[in-house]
Coordinates of all heavy atoms in Angstrom, one line a residue:
A13 N 0.8 -1.2 0.0 CA 0.0 0.0 0.0 C 0.9 1.2 0.0 O 2.0 1.2 0.5 CB -0.9 0.0 1.2
K14 N 0.3 2.3 -0.6 CA 1.0 3.6 -0.6 C 0.2 4.7 0.1 O -1.1 4.7 -0.1 CB 1.4 4.0 -2.0 CG 2.5 3.1 -2.6 CD 2.9 3.7 -4.0 CE 4.0 2.8 -4.5 NZ 4.5 3.3 -5.9
F15 N 0.8 5.6 0.7 CA 0.1 6.7 1.4 C 0.8 8.0 0.9 O 2.0 8.0 0.5 CB 0.3 6.6 2.9 CG -0.3 5.4 3.5 CD1 0.4 4.2 3.5 CD2 -1.6 5.3 4.0 CE1 -0.1 3.0 4.0 CE2 -2.1 4.2 4.5 CZ -1.4 3.0 4.5
T16 N -0.1 9.0 0.8 CA 0.5 10.3 0.2 C -0.2 11.5 0.9 O -1.3 11.4 1.4 CB 0.2 10.3 -1.3 OG1 0.9 11.5 -1.8 CG2 -1.2 10.5 -1.6
L17 N 0.6 12.5 1.0 CA 0.0 13.8 1.3 C 0.9 14.9 0.7 O 2.0 14.6 0.2 CB -0.2 14.0 2.8 CG 1.0 13.7 3.8 CD1 2.3 14.4 3.4 CD2 0.5 14.1 5.2
V18 N 0.5 16.2 0.8 CA 1.3 17.3 0.3 C 1.8 18.1 1.5 O 1.1 18.3 2.5 CB 0.4 18.2 -0.6 CG1 1.2 19.5 -1.0 CG2 -0.1 17.5 -1.8
D19 N 3.0 18.5 1.4 CA 3.6 19.4 2.4 C 3.1 20.8 2.0 O 3.7 21.4 1.0 CB 5.1 19.3 2.4 CG 5.7 20.2 3.6 OD1 4.9 21.1 4.0 OD2 6.8 20.0 4.0
P20 N 2.2 21.4 2.7 CA 1.7 22.7 2.2 C 2.7 23.9 2.5 O 2.5 24.9 1.9 CB 0.4 22.9 3.1 CG 0.7 22.1 4.3 CD 1.5 20.9 3.8
D21 N 3.7 23.6 3.3 CA 4.7 24.6 3.5 C 5.7 24.8 2.4 O 6.3 25.9 2.3 CB 5.5 24.3 4.8 CG 4.6 24.4 6.0 OD1 3.6 25.1 6.0 OD2 5.0 23.7 7.0
T22 N 5.8 23.8 1.5 CA 6.7 23.9 0.4 C 6.0 24.0 -1.0 O 6.6 24.4 -2.0 CB 7.7 22.8 0.4 OG1 7.0 21.5 0.3 CG2 8.6 22.8 1.6
C23 N 4.7 23.6 -1.0 CA 3.9 23.7 -2.3 C 3.8 25.1 -2.7 O 3.5 26.0 -1.9 CB 2.5 23.2 -2.0 SG 1.4 23.4 -3.4
I24 N 4.1 25.4 -4.0 CA 4.1 26.7 -4.6 C 2.8 26.9 -5.5 O 2.8 27.8 -6.3 CB 5.3 27.0 -5.4 CG1 5.5 26.0 -6.5 CG2 6.5 27.1 -4.4 CD1 6.7 26.4 -7.5
A25 N 1.9 26.0 -5.3 CA 0.6 26.1 -6.0 C 0.8 26.1 -7.6 O 0.2 26.8 -8.3 CB -0.2 27.4 -5.6
C26 N 1.7 25.2 -8.0 CA 2.0 25.2 -9.4 C 0.9 24.6 -10.2 O 0.8 24.8 -11.4 CB 3.4 24.5 -9.7 SG 3.2 22.7 -9.8
G27 N 0.2 23.7 -9.6 CA -1.0 23.1 -10.3 C -0.7 21.8 -11.1 O -1.6 21.4 -11.7
A28 N 0.5 21.3 -11.0 CA 0.8 20.1 -11.8 C 0.2 18.8 -11.2 O -0.3 18.0 -12.0 CB 2.3 19.9 -11.9
C29 N 0.1 18.7 -9.9 CA -0.3 17.4 -9.3 C -1.8 17.1 -9.6 O -2.1 16.0 -9.9 CB 0.0 17.4 -7.9 SG -0.7 18.8 -6.9
G30 N -2.6 18.2 -9.5 CA -4.0 17.9 -9.8 C -4.3 17.6 -11.2 O -5.3 16.9 -11.5
A31 N -3.4 18.0 -12.1 CA -3.6 17.7 -13.5 C -3.1 16.2 -13.8 O -3.8 15.5 -14.5 CB -2.7 18.6 -14.4
A32 N -2.1 15.8 -13.1 CA -1.6 14.4 -13.2 C -2.5 13.4 -12.5 O -2.6 12.3 -12.9 CB -0.1 14.4 -12.7
A33 N -3.0 13.8 -11.4 CA -3.7 12.9 -10.5 C -5.0 13.6 -9.9 O -5.0 13.8 -8.7 CB -2.8 12.4 -9.4
P34 N -5.9 13.9 -10.8 CA -7.1 14.6 -10.3 C -8.0 13.9 -9.3 O -8.7 14.6 -8.5 CB -7.9 14.9 -11.6 CG -7.4 13.8 -12.6 CD -6.0 13.6 -12.2
D35 N -7.8 12.6 -9.2 CA -8.6 11.9 -8.2 C -7.9 11.9 -6.9 O -8.5 11.4 -5.9 CB -8.9 10.4 -8.7 CG -9.8 10.4 -9.9 OD1 -10.6 11.3 -10.0 OD2 -9.6 9.4 -10.7
I36 N -6.7 12.3 -6.8 CA -5.9 12.3 -5.6 C -5.8 13.7 -5.0 O -5.9 14.0 -3.8 CB -4.6 11.7 -5.7 CG1 -4.7 10.2 -6.3 CG2 -3.8 11.7 -4.4 CD1 -3.3 9.6 -6.6
F37 N -5.4 14.7 -5.9 CA -5.0 16.0 -5.4 C -6.1 17.1 -5.9 O -6.6 17.1 -7.0 CB -3.6 16.4 -5.9 CG -2.6 15.5 -5.5 CD1 -2.0 14.5 -6.3 CD2 -2.2 15.5 -4.1 CE1 -1.0 13.6 -5.9 CE2 -1.2 14.6 -3.7 CZ -0.6 13.7 -4.5
N38 N -6.3 18.0 -4.9 CA -7.1 19.1 -5.2 C -6.4 20.3 -4.6 O -5.3 20.2 -4.0 CB -8.5 18.9 -4.5 CG -9.6 19.8 -5.1 OD1 -9.3 20.7 -5.9 ND2 -10.8 19.5 -4.6
Y39 N -7.0 21.5 -4.7 CA -6.4 22.7 -4.3 C -7.3 23.5 -3.3 O -8.5 23.6 -3.5 CB -6.0 23.6 -5.5 CG -5.2 22.9 -6.5 CD1 -5.8 22.5 -7.7 CD2 -3.9 22.5 -6.3 CE1 -5.2 21.8 -8.7 CE2 -3.2 21.8 -7.3 CZ -3.9 21.4 -8.5 OH -3.2 20.8 -9.5
D40 N -6.7 24.2 -2.4 CA -7.4 25.1 -1.5 C -7.6 26.4 -2.2 O -7.3 26.6 -3.4 CB -6.8 25.2 -0.2 CG -5.5 26.0 -0.1 OD1 -5.2 26.7 -1.2 OD2 -4.8 26.0 0.9
D41 N -8.2 27.4 -1.6 CA -8.6 28.7 -2.2 C -7.3 29.4 -2.7 O -7.4 30.3 -3.5 CB -9.3 29.6 -1.2 CG -10.7 29.1 -0.9 OD1 -11.2 28.2 -1.6 OD2 -11.3 29.5 0.1
E42 N -6.2 29.1 -2.1 CA -4.9 29.8 -2.5 C -4.1 28.9 -3.5 O -3.0 29.3 -3.8 CB -4.1 30.1 -1.3 CG -4.8 31.1 -0.4 CD -4.1 31.4 0.9 OE1 -3.2 30.6 1.3 OE2 -4.3 32.5 1.5
G43 N -4.7 27.8 -3.9 CA -4.0 27.0 -4.9 C -3.1 26.0 -4.3 O -2.4 25.3 -5.0
I44 N -3.0 26.0 -3.0 CA -2.1 25.0 -2.3 C -2.8 23.6 -2.4 O -4.0 23.5 -2.1 CB -1.8 25.4 -0.9 CG1 -1.2 26.8 -0.8 CG2 -1.0 24.3 -0.2 CD1 0.1 26.9 -1.5
A45 N -2.0 22.6 -2.8 CA -2.5 21.3 -3.0 C -2.7 20.5 -1.7 O -2.0 20.8 -0.7 CB -1.6 20.5 -3.9
F46 N -3.7 19.6 -1.8 CA -3.8 18.7 -0.7 C -4.4 17.4 -1.2 O -5.0 17.3 -2.3 CB -4.8 19.2 0.4 CG -6.2 19.5 -0.1 CD1 -7.2 18.5 0.1 CD2 -6.5 20.7 -0.7 CE1 -8.5 18.7 -0.3 CE2 -7.8 20.9 -1.1 CZ -8.8 19.9 -0.9
S47 N -4.2 16.3 -0.5 CA -4.8 15.0 -0.9 C -6.2 15.0 -0.5 O -6.6 15.2 0.7 CB -4.1 13.9 -0.1 OG -4.9 12.7 -0.3
R48 N -7.1 14.8 -1.5 CA -8.5 14.7 -1.3 C -8.9 13.4 -0.8 O -10.1 13.2 -0.4 CB -9.2 15.0 -2.6 CG -8.9 14.1 -3.7 CD -9.3 14.7 -5.1 NE -10.7 15.1 -5.1 CZ -11.2 15.9 -6.0 NH1 -10.5 16.4 -7.0 NH2 -12.5 16.2 -6.0
L49 N -8.0 12.4 -0.7 CA -8.4 11.1 -0.2 C -8.8 11.1 1.3 O -9.7 10.4 1.7 CB -7.2 10.1 -0.4 CG -6.8 9.9 -1.8 CD1 -5.5 9.0 -1.8 CD2 -7.9 9.3 -2.6
D50 N -8.1 12.0 2.0 CA -8.3 12.0 3.5 C -8.0 13.3 4.1 O -7.4 13.4 5.2 CB -7.6 10.9 4.2 CG -6.1 10.9 3.9 OD1 -5.6 12.0 3.3 OD2 -5.3 10.0 4.2
N51 N -8.3 14.4 3.3 CA -8.1 15.8 3.8 C -6.6 16.0 4.2 O -6.3 16.6 5.1 CB -9.0 16.1 4.9 CG -9.0 17.6 5.1 OD1 -8.9 18.4 4.2 ND2 -9.3 18.0 6.4
N52 N -5.7 15.4 3.3 CA -4.3 15.5 3.5 C -3.7 15.0 4.7 O -2.6 15.5 5.2 CB -3.9 17.0 3.3 CG -2.5 17.2 2.7 OD1 -2.2 16.6 1.7 ND2 -1.6 18.0 3.4
Q53 N -4.3 14.0 5.3 CA -3.7 13.3 6.4 C -2.7 12.2 6.0 O -1.9 11.8 6.8 CB -4.8 12.7 7.3 CG -5.7 13.7 7.9 CD -4.9 14.8 8.7 OE1 -4.4 14.4 9.8 NE2 -4.8 16.0 8.3
G54 N -2.8 11.7 4.8 CA -1.9 10.6 4.4 C -2.1 9.3 5.2 O -1.2 8.6 5.5
S55 N -3.4 9.1 5.6 CA -3.7 8.0 6.5 C -4.5 6.9 5.8 O -4.6 5.8 6.4 CB -4.4 8.5 7.7 OG -3.6 9.3 8.5
I56 N -5.0 7.2 4.7 CA -5.8 6.3 3.9 C -5.0 5.8 2.7 O -4.5 6.7 2.0 CB -7.2 6.9 3.4 CG1 -8.0 7.1 4.7 CG2 -7.9 5.9 2.5 CD1 -9.3 7.8 4.4
S57 N -4.8 4.5 2.5 CA -4.0 4.1 1.4 C -4.6 4.5 0.0 O -5.8 4.5 -0.2 CB -3.8 2.5 1.4 OG -5.1 1.9 1.3
V58 N -3.7 4.8 -0.9 CA -4.1 5.2 -2.2 C -4.6 4.0 -3.0 O -4.0 3.0 -3.0 CB -2.8 5.8 -3.0 CG1 -3.2 6.2 -4.4 CG2 -2.2 7.0 -2.3
P59 N -5.8 4.2 -3.6 CA -6.4 3.0 -4.3 C -5.4 2.6 -5.4 O -4.7 3.4 -6.1 CB -7.6 3.6 -5.0 CG -8.0 4.7 -4.0 CD -6.7 5.3 -3.5
I60 N -5.2 1.3 -5.6 CA -4.2 0.7 -6.4 C -4.3 1.2 -7.9 O -3.3 1.5 -8.5 CB -4.3 -0.8 -6.4 CG1 -3.1 -1.4 -7.1 CG2 -5.5 -1.3 -7.0 CD1 -2.1 -2.0 -6.2
Q61 N -5.5 1.5 -8.3 CA -5.7 2.0 -9.7 C -5.3 3.4 -9.9 O -5.2 3.9 -11.0 CB -7.2 1.8 -10.2 CG -8.2 2.7 -9.5 CD -8.7 2.1 -8.2 OE1 -8.2 1.2 -7.6 NE2 -9.9 2.6 -7.8
L62 N -5.0 4.1 -8.8 CA -4.5 5.5 -8.9 C -3.0 5.6 -8.6 O -2.4 6.7 -8.7 CB -5.2 6.3 -7.8 CG -6.7 6.5 -8.0 CD1 -7.3 7.4 -6.9 CD2 -7.1 7.0 -9.4
E63 N -2.3 4.5 -8.5 CA -0.9 4.6 -8.1 C 0.0 5.1 -9.3 O 1.0 5.8 -9.0 CB -0.4 3.2 -7.7 CG -0.8 2.8 -6.3 CD -0.1 1.6 -5.7 OE1 0.7 1.0 -6.5 OE2 -0.3 1.3 -4.5
D64 N -0.4 4.8 -10.5 CA 0.3 5.4 -11.7 C 0.2 6.9 -11.7 O 1.2 7.6 -11.9 CB -0.1 4.8 -13.0 CG 0.4 3.3 -13.1 OD1 1.2 2.9 -12.4 OD2 -0.1 2.7 -14.1
D65 N -1.0 7.4 -11.5 CA -1.2 8.8 -11.5 C -0.4 9.5 -10.3 O 0.2 10.5 -10.5 CB -2.7 9.1 -11.2 CG -3.6 8.9 -12.5 OD1 -3.0 8.6 -13.5 OD2 -4.8 9.1 -12.4
L66 N -0.4 8.8 -9.2 CA 0.4 9.3 -8.1 C 1.8 9.4 -8.4 O 2.5 10.4 -8.1 CB 0.2 8.4 -6.9 CG 1.0 8.7 -5.6 CD1 0.7 10.1 -5.1 CD2 0.9 7.7 -4.5
E67 N 2.4 8.4 -9.1 CA 3.8 8.5 -9.4 C 4.1 9.6 -10.4 O 5.1 10.3 -10.3 CB 4.2 7.1 -10.1 CG 5.7 6.9 -10.2 CD 6.4 6.9 -8.9 OE1 5.8 6.5 -7.9 OE2 7.6 7.2 -8.9
D68 N 3.1 9.8 -11.3 CA 3.3 10.9 -12.3 C 3.3 12.3 -11.5 O 4.1 13.2 -11.8 CB 2.2 11.0 -13.3 CG 2.3 9.8 -14.3 OD1 3.4 9.2 -14.4 OD2 1.3 9.5 -15.0
A69 N 2.4 12.4 -10.6 CA 2.3 13.7 -9.8 C 3.6 13.8 -9.0 O 4.2 14.9 -8.9 CB 1.1 13.6 -8.9
Y70 N 4.0 12.8 -8.4 CA 5.3 12.8 -7.5 C 6.5 13.3 -8.4 O 7.2 14.2 -7.9 CB 5.5 11.4 -7.0 CG 6.8 11.3 -6.2 CD1 6.8 11.6 -4.8 CD2 7.9 10.7 -6.7 CE1 7.9 11.5 -4.1 CE2 9.1 10.6 -6.0 CZ 9.1 11.0 -4.7 OH 10.2 10.8 -3.9
E71 N 6.6 12.7 -9.5 CA 7.8 13.0 -10.4 C 7.6 14.5 -11.0 O 8.7 15.1 -11.3 CB 7.9 12.0 -11.5 CG 8.3 10.7 -11.0 CD 8.3 9.6 -12.1 OE1 8.1 10.0 -13.3 OE2 8.6 8.4 -11.8
G72 N 6.4 14.9 -11.1 CA 6.2 16.2 -11.7 C 6.2 17.4 -10.8 O 6.3 18.6 -11.3
C73 N 6.2 17.2 -9.5 CA 6.1 18.3 -8.6 C 7.5 19.0 -8.5 O 8.5 18.4 -8.2 CB 5.7 17.8 -7.2 SG 5.7 19.2 -6.0
P74 N 7.6 20.3 -8.8 CA 8.8 21.0 -8.9 C 9.5 21.2 -7.6 O 10.7 21.6 -7.5 CB 8.5 22.3 -9.6 CG 7.1 22.5 -9.3 CD 6.5 21.2 -9.2
T75 N 8.7 21.1 -6.5 CA 9.3 21.4 -5.2 C 9.3 20.2 -4.2 O 9.6 20.3 -3.0 CB 8.4 22.5 -4.5 OG1 7.1 22.0 -4.4 CG2 8.4 23.8 -5.3
E76 N 9.1 19.0 -4.8 CA 9.1 17.8 -4.0 C 8.2 17.8 -2.8 O 8.5 17.4 -1.7 CB 10.6 17.4 -3.6 CG 11.5 17.2 -4.8 CD 12.9 16.8 -4.4 OE1 13.2 16.7 -3.2 OE2 13.7 16.5 -5.4
S77 N 7.0 18.5 -3.1 CA 6.1 18.6 -2.0 C 5.2 17.4 -1.8 O 4.5 17.3 -0.8 CB 5.3 19.9 -2.2 OG 6.1 21.0 -2.2
I78 N 5.1 16.6 -2.8 CA 4.3 15.4 -2.7 C 5.1 14.3 -2.0 O 6.2 13.9 -2.4 CB 3.8 14.9 -4.0 CG1 2.9 16.0 -4.6 CG2 3.1 13.6 -3.9 CD1 2.5 15.7 -6.1
K79 N 4.6 13.8 -0.9 CA 5.3 12.8 -0.1 C 4.6 11.4 -0.3 O 3.3 11.4 -0.3 CB 5.2 13.2 1.4 CG 5.7 14.6 1.7 CD 7.1 14.8 1.2 CE 7.5 16.3 1.5 NZ 8.9 16.6 1.0
I80 N 5.4 10.4 -0.4 CA 4.8 9.0 -0.6 C 5.6 8.1 0.4 O 6.8 8.2 0.6 CB 5.0 8.5 -2.0 CG1 4.3 9.4 -3.0 CG2 4.5 7.1 -2.1 CD1 4.5 9.0 -4.5
A81 N 4.8 7.3 1.1 CA 5.4 6.3 2.0 C 4.6 5.0 2.0 O 3.4 5.0 1.5 CB 5.5 6.9 3.4
K82 N 5.2 4.0 2.5 CA 4.4 2.7 2.6 C 3.7 2.6 3.9 O 3.0 1.6 4.2 CB 5.5 1.6 2.5 CG 6.1 1.5 1.1 CD 7.1 0.3 1.1 CE 7.7 0.3 -0.4 NZ 8.7 -0.8 -0.4
Q83 N 3.8 3.6 4.8 CA 3.1 3.6 6.0 C 2.3 5.0 6.2 O 2.7 6.0 5.5 CB 4.0 3.4 7.2 CG 4.7 2.1 7.2 CD 5.7 1.9 8.3 OE1 5.8 2.7 9.2 NE2 6.5 0.8 8.1
P84 N 1.3 5.1 7.0 CA 0.5 6.3 7.1 C 1.3 7.5 7.7 O 2.2 7.3 8.6 CB -0.6 5.9 8.1 CG -0.6 4.4 8.1 CD 0.7 3.9 7.8
F85 N 1.1 8.6 7.2 CA 1.7 9.8 7.6 C 1.1 10.4 8.9 O 1.7 11.2 9.6 CB 1.7 10.9 6.6 CG 2.6 10.7 5.4 CD1 2.2 10.0 4.3 CD2 4.0 11.1 5.4 CE1 3.1 9.8 3.2 CE2 4.8 10.9 4.4 CZ 4.4 10.2 3.3
D86 N -0.2 10.1 9.1 CA -0.9 10.7 10.3 C -0.8 12.2 10.2 O -0.7 12.9 11.3 CB -0.3 10.1 11.6 CG -0.5 8.6 11.7 OD1 -1.5 8.1 11.2 OD2 0.5 8.0 12.2
G87 N -0.8 12.8 9.1 CA -0.9 14.2 8.9 C 0.4 14.9 9.0 O 0.5 16.2 8.9
N88 N 1.5 14.2 9.2 CA 2.8 14.8 9.3 C 3.7 14.6 8.1 O 4.2 13.5 7.9 CB 3.5 14.3 10.5 CG 4.9 14.9 10.7 OD1 5.3 15.8 10.0 ND2 5.6 14.3 11.7
P89 N 3.9 15.6 7.2 CA 4.7 15.5 6.0 C 6.1 15.1 6.3 O 6.8 14.5 5.4 CB 4.6 16.8 5.3 CG 3.5 17.5 5.9 CD 3.3 17.0 7.3
D90 N 6.6 15.4 7.4 CA 8.0 15.1 7.8 C 8.2 13.8 8.6 O 9.3 13.5 9.0 CB 8.6 16.3 8.7 CG 8.6 17.6 7.9 OD1 8.7 17.6 6.7 OD2 8.4 18.6 8.5
K91 N 7.2 13.0 8.6 CA 7.2 11.8 9.5 C 8.3 10.9 9.1 O 8.9 10.3 10.0 CB 5.9 11.1 9.4 CG 5.8 9.9 10.4 CD 4.4 9.3 10.4 CE 4.4 8.2 11.4 NZ 3.0 7.5 11.4
F92 N 8.7 10.8 7.8 CA 9.7 9.8 7.4 C 11.0 10.4 7.0 O 11.8 9.7 6.3 CB 9.1 8.9 6.4 CG 7.8 8.2 6.8 CD1 6.6 8.5 6.3 CD2 7.9 7.2 7.8 CE1 5.4 7.9 6.7 CE2 6.7 6.6 8.2 CZ 5.5 6.9 7.7
L93 N 11.2 11.6 7.3 CA 12.5 12.2 7.0 C 13.6 11.7 7.9 O 13.4 11.3 9.0 CB 12.4 13.8 7.1 CG 11.5 14.4 6.1 CD1 11.6 15.9 6.2 CD2 11.9 14.1 4.7
Ligands
F3S101 FE1 2.1 22.1 -5.1 FE2 3.8 20.4 -6.2 FE3 1.2 20.1 -6.6 S1 4.1 22.6 -6.0 S2 0.5 22.3 -6.6 S3 2.3 20.0 -4.7 S4 2.8 19.7 -8.1

């Protein structure tokens, strides 16, 4: 299983992730991305059919703000640093 969330402190609202993975990422009023799977908690595993989209978004983010791990983040983007 894979888990994901966005680090809102480094996201520059470039808009790439929502284009690559519209079922995973959405934007707040200021364009900052978040995971729509679980309100950016990174606690619900990404559906297997969305993993390719997730990988595309991960590779396309210019600020490395998309975090992916094999365990839940529990809302903390820095949990596995
Ligand atoms: Fe932000 Fe990266 Fe998405 S900068 S809008 S998390 S592609």
Side-chain angles (χ1 to χ4, degrees):
K14 291 186 176 179
F15 299 83
T16 189
L17 50 53
V18 174
D19 185 342
D21 293 335
T22 58
C23 172
I24 58 170
C26 82
C29 54
D35 293 331
I36 302 175
F37 299 106
N38 200 352
Y39 310 107
D40 70 13
D41 290 344
E42 297 177 336
I44 302 300
F46 64 92
S47 168
R48 59 197 307 163
L49 298 177
D50 55 10
N51 198 27
N52 210 50
Q53 293 305 292
S55 297
I56 294 176
S57 61
V58 177
I60 190 105
Q61 69 271 21
L62 298 181
E63 285 191 357
D64 285 350
D65 284 358
L66 174 61
E67 192 65 25
D68 289 344
Y70 177 82
E71 292 175 3
C73 179
T75 58
E76 300 182 356
S77 296
I78 295 172
K79 310 301 179 184
I80 299 176
K82 293 180 179 176
Q83 296 175 10
F85 285 92
D86 300 321
N88 179 6
D90 297 329
K91 185 172 180 183
F92 302 110
L93 292 184

